[in-house]
Amino acid sequence: MELKYIIFTLVVILGVPVGVFLTRISIRFMHFTFVSMVVSLCESDMLEVMYISRPFYRTITRGIGFSLAEICALILLFGMILRRDEYKIRWIPPMFLVNAFYILIIVISWLMVKGDVLVPPKYFQLGLWGPLTTDYFEVTLYPLFELSKIFRGLLIFWVVVSYLSVKSNFRFLLLSFLILVAYVGGTALYQRYFQGMHRVGSTMSHPNLLATFMVMCFSILFGYGLKEKDLKIKGICFGSSALCILTIVMTLSRGGMATVVIVCCMLLFFLYFRNRSMSNNIFAVIGVFCALVIFVKSMDTLMSRFSAKA
């Protein structure tokens, strides 16, 4: 076993109990652990160890691993159980039946698989993204990788829902997303203007993943900014939202750009007209102007991207 696996396993075995103890004696450490969990999601490749892996897979999920985010999630989960008088654990979290049905479909489909599928010879001849390194599509193994990733995501979702049972904790979720956007967006700007990358990926393995991630951040920050009364926080949220849009444009992801437009229209329809104020009007005008500047300056690149073949 490599040294990194030994170190990471020891961190899990020893770090979780120590972390739970610290959350029991310090509420500040619990908040710090939550922020660390959310922020670490943007560096999953760097902060993750794959115990079972297929590195030659040309897919997003390439094995069964464990990351810093799951370590923080376990610390928070047991810490909140020990603080039951403060936190209400949602033993049946929202969307439980939907997720259970989705997982059931995956398991049934997996059980119906009769064996690995031979890779057609033409794919070896095409040489897409380099030569293939496997003769079979391991459909008997790959669903296990996906299921492990789904359960890891559900663990984090469960912890976030329970953590936010204390309404005042939402400010730490907001802080986490502001740090995320600043770090990921700053990395994207560095790649684009200092390293000369055409389609930036920032900390993600692919530009499309980055676009999806930033659309999610945008929906939270822009929506919160529309409802927030404090001008300082509103300005920070709108500024971070602008960075999200700029990063999505730099990914040149057609799906990402189309999605953020749809999300923006939905948020304006459901929140802007319900929370009309002078500050929202001013920020809306500034936002439209900045968006027009961004799109005009990058029009040639965007048009070439949308007219190109997928």
Side-chain angles (χ1 to χ4, degrees), residues 4 8 16 41 45 93 171 187 202 220 224 230 251:
K4 65 177 182 179
F8 201 85
V16 172
L41 292 174
D45 292 340
R171 66 185 188 274
T187 305
S202 188
I220 294 175
Y224 188 82
D230 188 289
T251 65

Side-chain angles (χ1 to χ4, degrees), residues 52 62 129 136 174 185 198 202 287 295:
I52 302 175
R62 301 179 181 179
W129 305 293
Y136 290 89
L174 180 63
H198 181 59
S202 188
F295 281 106

Side-chain angles (χ1 to χ4, degrees), residues 5 9 40 51 63 90 124 147 151 192 217 246 259 269 310:
Y5 294 104
T9 303
S40 66
Y51 289 98
R90 296 286 298 271
F124 290 97
L147 282 172
F151 281 115
R192 181 67 179 89
C217 294
L246 179 59
T259 304
F269 179 78

Side-chain angles (χ1 to χ4, degrees), residues 78-120:
F78 291 114
M80 288 186 292
I81 291 175
L82 294 178
R83 289 177 172 269
R84 290 188 298 272
D85 54 330
E86 302 174 42
Y87 291 91
K88 180 182 178 182
I89 304 297
R90 296 286 298 271
W91 297 108
I92 302 180
M95 302 293 290
F96 173 79
L97 293 179
V98 175
N99 289 315
F101 182 68
Y102 177 63
I103 293 172
L104 179 63
I105 292 176
I106 296 176
V107 173
I108 293 175
S109 302
W110 188 16
L111 293 175
M112 294 174 65
V113 172
K114 297 180 180 180
D116 294 337
V117 179
L118 183 67
V119 177

Side-chain angles (χ1 to χ4, degrees), residues 194-264:
F194 289 92
Q195 296 182 336
M197 288 188 182
H198 181 59
R199 295 189 66 195
V200 301
S202 188
T203 61
M204 308 293 166
S205 58
H206 194 278
N208 290 340
L209 285 178
L210 174 60
T212 303
F213 187 82
M214 296 306 274
V215 168
M216 176 194 68
C217 294
F218 171 82
S219 63
I220 294 175
L221 294 174
F222 188 65
Y224 188 82
L226 289 173
K227 296 193 66 175
E228 178 59 40
K229 303 298 183 184
D230 188 289
L231 289 178
K232 183 178 179 180
I233 298 177
K234 183 188 289 288
I236 293 174
C237 288
F238 284 151
S240 298
S241 301
L243 181 56
C244 289
I245 294 178
L246 179 59
T247 304
I248 293 169
V249 171
M250 290 189 294
T251 65
L252 299 180
S253 171
R254 291 167 289 192
M257 286 184 275
T259 304
V260 77
V261 171
I262 295 173
V263 170
C264 186

